[in-house]
């Protein structure tokens, strides 16, 4: 490269950098995605919580629940909708009911309620 004019040396350097940059970016992104998958894979397969039912959608088999923190999943307290596993009877579950519940993952990897009971 000593015989190349100065502007050609810069061009070669820029071209070399642009060829390497996508590989470096892809490697970094790949590493971050792998780390995220690892964290998800390490999340609990089952977890328990306590909460209050805010809404019931029997047609879609979903409950809206305001729950306290769920330590096993590192979740703060919040209000969220949960799907209900097949076989769970929704009879007697109405807004205002205090409940304890167990979550497990469905075939799509989403958390669903697989056990629930009223607490008086």
């Amino acid at each position: 490269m000593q015989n190349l004019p100065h502007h050609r040396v810069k061009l070669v350097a820029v071209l070399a950098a642009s060829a390497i940059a996508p590989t470096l970016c892809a490697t970094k992104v790949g590493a971050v995605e792998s780390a995220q998958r690892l964290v998800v894979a390490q999340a609990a397969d089952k977890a328990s919580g306590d909460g209050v039912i805010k809404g019931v959608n029997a047609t879609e088999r979903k409950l809206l629940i305001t729950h306290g923190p769920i330590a096993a999943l590192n979740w703060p307290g919040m209000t969220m909708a949960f799907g209900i596993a097949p076989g769970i009877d929704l009879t007697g579950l109405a807004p205002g009911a205090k409940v304890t519940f167990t979550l497990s993952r469905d075939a799509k990897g989403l958390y669903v309620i697989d056990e629930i009971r009223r607490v008086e």
Side-chain angles (χ1 to χ4, degrees), residues 4-93:
L4 294 175
H6 184 66
H7 66 281
R8 285 192 183 175
V9 171
K10 285 183 181 177
L11 178 60
V12 169
V14 168
L15 290 174
S18 65
I20 293 171
T23 302
L24 292 175
C25 290
T27 301
K28 186 173 183 179
V29 169
V32 170
E33 288 172 354
S34 293
Q36 289 171 339
R37 281 193 298 270
L38 180 61
V39 169
V40 170
Q42 290 178 343
D45 286 332
K46 283 212 174 236
S48 297
D50 300 308
V52 177
I53 296 175
K54 296 296 182 180
V56 178
N57 185 330
T59 305
E60 293 184 17
R61 296 194 51 79
K62 292 187 183 234
L63 293 176
L64 183 65
I65 298 178
T66 297
H67 64 78
I70 300 178
L73 299 175
N74 200 26
W75 287 0
M78 64 182 109
T79 300
M80 59 189 299
F82 290 103
I84 307 299
I88 300 296
D89 184 11
L90 297 177
T91 304
L93 298 176

Side-chain angles (χ1 to χ4, degrees), residues 46-49 100-104 112-117:
K46 283 212 174 236
S48 297
T100 61
F101 56 93
T102 302
L103 301 170
S104 65
V112 296
I113 294 175
D114 65 1
E115 292 177 38
I116 188 165
R117 65 182 171 86

